[in-house]
Amino acid sequence: MNAEVLLDDAGREVLLTGNEAVARGALEAGVNYAASYPGSPTAEILEALAQAQKLYPDRLYTEWSVNEKVAMEGAAAASFAGLRSLTIMKCDGLNVAFDFLTSLGLSGTRGGMVIAVGDDPSAHSSAKEEDSRYLGRLAHLAIWEPADSQQAKEMVKAAFDLSEQMGQPVMLRLTTRVCHAATNATLGPLPKGPAPQAIIAPTDKFITWIEGHKAQEERLLGAVQVANRSNFNRYLGPDQPEILVVACGPSFHYAHEAVEELRAKAEDWGLGSLNGIGILQLATAWPLPEELLLGYLKSARQVIVLEEIEPFVEDYLLGLVARNSSTLGQTVVYGKHSGHVASSNGIGLGELNPELVYRAIAKAIAPGALAPVASTATPSSKPSEAGEQPSFPGRDLAFCAGCPHRASFWALRSALELDGRRGIILGDIGCYSLAKGRTGFNAFQTMHAMGSGAGIASGLGQLWRFGFSQPVVAVVGDSTFYHAVVPALINGRYTQSNFLCIILDNQTTAMTGHQPHPGTGGGAAGDPLPPVPMEQIISGLGLPFTILDPFDIPKATAGIYAALQQPGVQILILRQTCALIATKREIRPEVYVDPDLCRGYNCSCFNFCSRVFACPGNIWDDQRGVASIDQSVCNRCGVCISLCPAGAIKTRTEEDVSHEQLAS
Ligand code: SF4
Ligand code: SF4
């Protein structure tokens, strides 16, 4: 984390990522309670606030909650007691919290409550891309979307104020590029002194009731007025634009660049000066500032809508234009529906970038001026007319060198092969999700949401009555176990289902940056919280379990095979520390390939270790025709030693080293 996030130095300009800016804005707004479940692209917000808790323990409490619903419930509790609270989650997490959120909107809140949701257009670090604005709209929330760090910081502060004014949470929609890109932001003052007294008076009621629905609608009308006057809706261009670009989030900056570039070329293309183009950053995504928009739509006959993932604003804008057609005249709206805004994944999907935005605007105002593009999949730093793309070497998605998951999936595949009944593997969400691909030997046959693998297993485990005879294996992570797997296990035990649940316990929430969870103990700010061991929970459920080391592949394979032969719900914990943590903790002996023993091209499966097992540390020496170990990558887990059929992979002992020194 950038330490400048915490500086008590108002007026200083610093470089902050969007995530750091959200954390800073919350601190400047006097946030007292922040809770989250780690998820990319927003995991760093709570990490920054947890550092702040160490400095201001009487003003701020932070928590990595067991899941997003519990995080939101905790933040709501603080709000009910009059405190300011922030809850942070990725788009998938909003689904988990959504049941509570729809009720919370009806009961209302008291202290300012902000819900920061990270959408991941193009799913850079997610199983899917999801546009959280629809859920925010469904929950009747005001939704704001910043374009850069300065705006993110200021927007959080204003969102707390709006939440208190409306008496309900305000949602901040963040996208990956804004979360992770660093831009300048000016620090504001931090509040002094302890948090206000938390209190819920006997007359305070926060109860979900149907009458609250009308109140929600009335609150949103207030938010419309705020949106119409909001300075976050920035406008660049003439008072009466002929062409209006409506840009959401980072698209505002891309549009600015694109219009400048197009103006430079306009004369050559015979397009005049292009001075009639106006760019409106629509920061208040919901409710729409209709009055503001209609002001520009009076003169603009062409409108281009730029937004990431779905045509959320575009659809509402089309409705606005249609409802006002008698006064506006003919207005053409370009966007995802018209095919002008197309991303690498197709129309209506994916992340935008400067080149895609440039092409969208150019296509709308100067069709035919651009050469066709072969592909728009890779963002380039400079928009190109010819569609030339810089080429980068491809990189496979792979488990880290020495990752225990690779060993676990190898053992699992081996056990299922031994079993021979075409067992199926149900995946889940975490870094082990990569097992859907080559690095995990294409293990998964299903993969959906956190905890769903075990839920699906519970269902499949009932299908014996319909002739289903394949073994069923759900693979879950340790953090996922606490997040959402326990109810599925209760269901399996209760209904006497038949499946094996393998918990890949790497003793951290690895995918999002090694956050703690109930099984590891320790709080967000490093507070010494005792762990809640998964063994105790499993025992409490009355389920049998075994703990094995996935690095001991023969034993792990035998253990999985044995569990597959048992009826009922079986639990196997494959426990081995995440490779990235283990490397820091232990000094292990060097692993190397003895070239005299390596079978090279004659090896089973043809250079088995580097091609099939494919740990990034196992490499192929083409010149010598033998395998080798990349010492800069290998983390010396030793797993490949037990897999080499020729015994060619060895650990270099101190004795070996001294022999080698003598020989040289
Ligand atoms: S010992 Fe083998 S499996 Fe382990 S990290 Fe090194 S190369 Fe990879
Ligand atoms: S598995 Fe062993 S014998 Fe086969 S290529 Fe690798 S080091 Fe050589």
Side-chain angles (χ1 to χ4, degrees):
M1 186 204 71
N2 174 1
E4 288 179 313
V5 179
L6 307 179
L7 281 182
D8 194 2
D9 192 5
R12 180 160 164 167
E13 196 171 8
V14 296
L15 200 59
L16 298 181
T17 64
N19 281 338
E20 289 165 346
V22 170
R24 175 67 190 201
L27 290 173
E28 289 178 12
V31 68
N32 309 117
Y33 189 110
S36 177
Y37 179 82
S40 182
T42 43
E44 296 82 9
I45 299 174
L46 194 94
E47 286 184 347
L49 289 170
Q51 297 307 312
Q53 183 190 332
K54 292 179 187 171
L55 294 178
Y56 310 110
D58 57 346
R59 202 189 306 159
L60 176 62
Y61 168 77
T62 60
E63 172 182 300
W64 285 120
S65 306
V66 70
N67 66 33
E68 295 84 354
K69 180 168 178 278
V70 174
M72 189 179 284
E73 288 160 346
S79 167
F80 297 156
L83 301 177
R84 287 193 155 188
S85 67
L86 174 69
T87 182
I88 309 135
M89 59 203 65
K90 70 180 295 167
C91 49
D92 309 66
L94 187 62
N95 303 336
V96 177
F98 194 63
D99 190 19
F100 175 66
L101 180 58
T102 52
S103 300
L104 181 63
L106 292 168
S107 80
T109 51
R110 187 151 70 103
M113 179 170 169
V114 176
I115 302 170
V117 183
D119 284 354
D120 190 8
S122 292
H124 292 289
S125 52
S126 310
K128 61 182 185 281
E129 56 179 2
E130 187 176 317
D131 196 325
S132 59
R133 292 175 297 178
Y134 290 95
L135 290 192
R137 163 77 185 89
L138 200 53
H140 296 76
L141 302 184
I143 307 165
W144 288 358
E145 180 174 1
D148 51 46
S149 298
Q150 176 71 45
Q151 201 179 49
K153 186 177 82 72
E154 297 310 317
M155 204 176 262
V156 175
K157 295 197 289 189
F160 276 110
D161 292 340
L162 180 64
S163 168
E164 280 163 10
Q165 193 182 318
M166 292 178 73
Q168 66 171 41
V170 170
M171 180 171 141
L172 200 68
R173 186 219 191 193
L174 303 160
T175 51
T176 304
R177 211 51 59 178
V178 170
C179 289
H180 292 165
T183 55
N184 282 357
T186 306
L187 301 181
L190 292 172
K192 306 285 177 223
Q197 168 78 47
I199 188 162
I200 296 181
T203 49
D204 286 338
K205 303 264 186 225
F206 301 97
I207 294 171
T208 301
W209 59 335
I210 186 61
E211 287 79 358
H213 198 161
K214 185 165 171 267
Q216 275 184 316
E217 291 297 336
E218 286 165 1
R219 289 187 209 126
L220 273 181
L221 289 178
V224 173
Q225 298 318 318
V226 172
N228 277 321
R229 295 190 305 271
S230 173
N231 290 333
F232 295 127
N233 293 321
R234 288 179 276 189
Y235 177 74
L236 302 171
D239 289 345
Q240 297 189 331
E242 294 155 22
I243 300 166
L244 179 67
V245 179
V246 177
C248 305
S251 304
F252 173 67
H253 294 297
Y254 307 155
H256 190 197
E257 266 181 40
V259 168
E260 289 302 309
E261 182 127 353
L262 284 164
R263 280 193 181 125
K265 293 171 183 161
E267 295 292 335
D268 296 345
W269 288 353
L271 294 173
S273 65
L274 290 185
N275 285 339
I277 301 183
I279 307 169
L280 173 66
Q281 185 204 345
L282 192 69
T284 56
W286 187 260
L288 284 189
E290 294 197 357
E291 201 181 307
L292 179 80
L293 284 163
L294 286 170
Y296 295 117
L297 288 172
K298 271 185 205 149
S299 58
R301 296 284 64 85
Q302 290 174 290
V303 182
I304 304 160
V305 186
L306 303 168
E307 58 190 319
E308 289 186 307
I309 310 185
E310 305 286 349
F312 177 88
V313 167
E314 186 180 331
D315 282 342
Y316 285 106
L317 203 72
L318 281 165
L320 183 69
V321 167
R323 285 200 307 278
N324 293 277
S325 58
S326 58
T327 50
L328 294 180
Q330 191 167 8
T331 309
V332 186
V333 177
Y334 300 114
K336 293 170 193 281
H337 291 302
S338 68
H340 287 72
V341 180
S343 62
S344 54
N345 294 340
I347 294 164
L349 304 169
E351 185 176 44
L352 295 179
N353 62 43
E355 177 159 353
L356 292 168
V357 166
Y358 172 85
R359 299 194 71 85
I361 299 174
K363 194 173 171 188
I365 63 172
L370 292 175
V373 264
S375 159
T376 52
T378 312
S380 76
S381 56
K382 195 170 183 310
S384 95
E385 283 176 64
E388 289 162 15
Q389 299 287 333
S391 67
F392 300 105
R395 216 182 70 171
D396 220 6
L397 280 173
F399 289 131
C400 302
C403 173
H405 297 335
R406 182 181 290 101
S408 296
F409 284 107
W410 187 263
L412 175 54
R413 297 293 316 215
S414 306
L416 286 172
E417 245 169 65
L418 277 176
D419 178 84
R421 289 178 290 162
R422 290 186 296 124
I424 72 158
I425 306 173
L426 313 168
D428 220 294
I429 307 297
C431 52
Y432 53 97
S433 301
L434 293 181
K436 67 186 174 192
R438 192 171 86 95
T439 191
F441 318 112
N442 303 302
F444 291 164
Q445 286 185 257
T446 72
M447 195 186 89
H448 298 86
M450 299 273 287
S452 296
I456 294 169
S458 180
L460 282 177
Q462 293 289 355
L463 300 190
W464 53 268
R465 63 194 85 223
F466 304 115
F468 188 85
S469 59
Q470 296 163 255
V472 176
V473 184
V475 180
V476 309
D478 45 344
S479 191
T480 308
F481 169 81
Y482 295 95
H483 179 286
V485 170
V486 173
L489 295 180
I490 294 172
N491 195 65
R493 157 87 205 275
Y494 169 56
T495 60
Q496 299 196 311
S497 187
N498 300 282
F499 64 94
L500 167 62
C501 179
I502 297 182
I503 305 169
L504 304 181
D505 182 8
N506 61 2
Q507 302 179 322
T508 186
T509 316
M511 178 135 178
T512 44
H514 299 120
Q515 292 82 7
H517 60 63
T520 62
D527 17 340
L529 302 175
V532 182
M534 61 175 69
E535 295 91 318
Q536 287 179 11
I537 295 173
I538 299 165
S539 294
L541 297 179
L543 294 172
F545 70 91
T546 310
I547 304 173
L548 291 169
D549 178 358
F551 282 173
D552 187 341
I553 287 194
K555 264 197 191 161
T557 307
I560 296 169
Y561 178 82
L564 289 172
Q565 313 314 312
Q566 301 300 317
V569 179
Q570 303 290 322
I571 310 279
L572 204 60
I573 302 169
L574 292 182
R575 181 169 287 157
Q576 182 57 252
T577 312
C578 167
L580 300 181
I581 296 176
T583 320
K584 289 180 198 151
R585 279 194 199 148
E586 307 167 36
I587 299 171
R588 296 165 170 169
E590 184 184 319
V591 177
Y592 73 104
V593 176
D594 182 339
D596 296 332
L597 292 179
C598 175
R599 291 181 192 163
Y601 294 118
N602 298 320
C603 180
S604 57
C605 297
F606 192 64
N607 30 348
F608 164 78
C609 56
S610 59
R611 206 176 63 80
V612 181
F613 189 63
C615 168
N618 295 120
I619 53 173
W620 185 247
D621 184 337
D622 222 0
Q623 277 185 337
R624 294 195 297 165
V626 291
S628 178
I629 303 284
D630 182 344
Q631 297 299 340
S632 65
V633 172
C634 170
N635 97 338
R636 304 177 175 186
C637 73
V639 168
C640 56
I641 295 172
S642 63
L643 293 175
C644 171
I649 309 180
K650 303 174 172 178
T651 48
R652 203 183 297 275
T653 60
E654 281 178 24
E655 210 177 322
D656 293 332
V657 175
S658 51
H659 282 157
E660 283 162 12
Q661 282 168 347
L662 278 176
S664 64

